[in-house]
């Protein structure tokens, strides 16, 4: 039974595991994303997220605390400079784990990509093209101009659906 065993030991002694997580955390902060196994990524998430939270308060004490974990001046500077400025308004969940489909060739270990959420431009609002909002539940009653503008996208969508259905029927015949 594994009652109360919250730490994944990763098949290593304590000093080796702490050095591994420190190096992984430094690499993650410097490179913004790294490829590793799923087990190491989950252990790294528990290790690095409190450090990212501590980096929000740029005090001497928090810098020294983070340095005691990372043991790398460059990663501490990057964390308190570049990374902390992007995560100030985020309440938590600073990392994302994306699993790969294929396993590692040698030992068949599940591989994944762990990244800092705010540094991926694919999922940010600027990277995604904004869609026009349409109200489908009820019509607007503010102004006639506003109602006409709100109704125009709905009419275009309905017209597109009708033309697609008609072309699908012609293709079947």
């Amino acid at each position: 039974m594994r009652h109360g065993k919250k730490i994944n030991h990763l098949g290593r002694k304590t000093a080796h595991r702490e050095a591994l997580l420190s190096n992984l955390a430094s690499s993650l902060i410097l490179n913004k994303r790294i490829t590793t196994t799923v087990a190491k990524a989950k252990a790294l998430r528990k290790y690095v997220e409190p450090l990212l939270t501590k980096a929000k308060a740029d005090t001497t004490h928090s810098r020294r605390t983070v340095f005691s974990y990372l043991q790398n001046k460059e990663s501490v500077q990057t964390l308190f400079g570049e990374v902390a400025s992007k995560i100030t308004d985020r309440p938590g969940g600073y990392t994302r784990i994306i699993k790969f489909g294929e396993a590692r060739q040698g030992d068949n270990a599940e591989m994944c990509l762990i990244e800092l959420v705010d540094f991926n431009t694919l999922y940010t609002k600027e990277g995604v093209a904004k869609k026009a909002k349409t109200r489908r539940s009820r019509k607007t009653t503010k102004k006639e101009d506003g109602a006409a503008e709100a109704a125009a996208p709905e009419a275009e969508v309905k017209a597109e659906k009708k033309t697609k259905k008609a072309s699908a029927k012609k293709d079947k015949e």
Side-chain angles (χ1 to χ4, degrees):
M1 288 184 280
R2 58 169 304 278
H3 296 303
K5 296 184 180 178
K6 293 184 179 180
I7 297 174
N8 186 353
H9 295 291
L10 300 172
R12 291 162 172 84
K13 303 275 184 182
T14 304
H16 187 189
R17 185 174 58 252
E18 287 174 0
L20 169 78
L21 291 173
S22 175
N23 289 332
L24 282 173
S26 294
S27 296
L28 178 65
I29 290 166
L30 292 174
N31 299 321
K32 312 305 184 263
R33 66 177 61 177
I34 55 173
T35 302
T36 184
T37 62
V38 174
K40 287 179 189 173
K42 287 180 178 179
L44 177 62
R45 174 185 275 173
K46 287 183 179 179
Y47 185 85
V48 79
E49 291 218 359
L51 299 179
L52 293 169
T53 303
K54 203 164 260 307
K56 287 181 178 182
D58 190 6
T59 62
T60 306
H61 178 67
S62 61
R63 278 183 180 265
R64 286 178 179 167
T65 305
V66 169
F67 182 75
S68 71
Y69 282 91
L70 296 179
Q71 298 293 319
N72 188 346
K73 286 183 183 179
E74 292 82 23
S75 59
V76 171
Q77 287 174 346
T78 306
L79 175 62
F80 279 89
E82 183 182 352
V83 177
S85 63
K86 283 214 173 187
I87 64 171
T88 52
D89 58 339
R90 183 175 289 277
Y94 310 110
T95 57
R96 176 185 296 127
I97 295 176
I98 302 168
K99 295 182 183 179
F100 293 147
E102 60 273 352
R104 189 162 56 192
Q105 187 74 32
D107 59 354
N108 205 28
E110 287 184 84
M111 297 300 289
C112 70
L113 178 84
I114 183 167
E115 65 182 3
L116 296 176
V117 172
D118 293 317
F119 288 91
N120 191 338
T121 58
L122 295 175
Y123 299 111
T124 58
K125 293 179 183 174
E126 296 85 30
V128 178
K130 287 191 173 185
K131 294 182 180 179
K133 290 186 178 181
T134 59
R135 295 186 65 179
R136 297 175 195 275
S137 60
R138 40 189 170 152
K139 295 182 180 179
T140 59
T141 58
K142 291 181 180 177
K143 290 184 180 179
E144 293 180 15
D145 295 334
E149 290 175 4
E154 291 180 24
E156 291 174 11
V157 170
K158 289 179 182 178
E160 287 177 19
K161 286 182 181 178
K162 287 182 181 178
T163 56
K164 286 182 184 177
K165 286 181 182 178
S167 63
K169 286 182 182 178
K170 288 181 182 178
D171 291 340
K172 287 182 181 178
E173 294 173 357

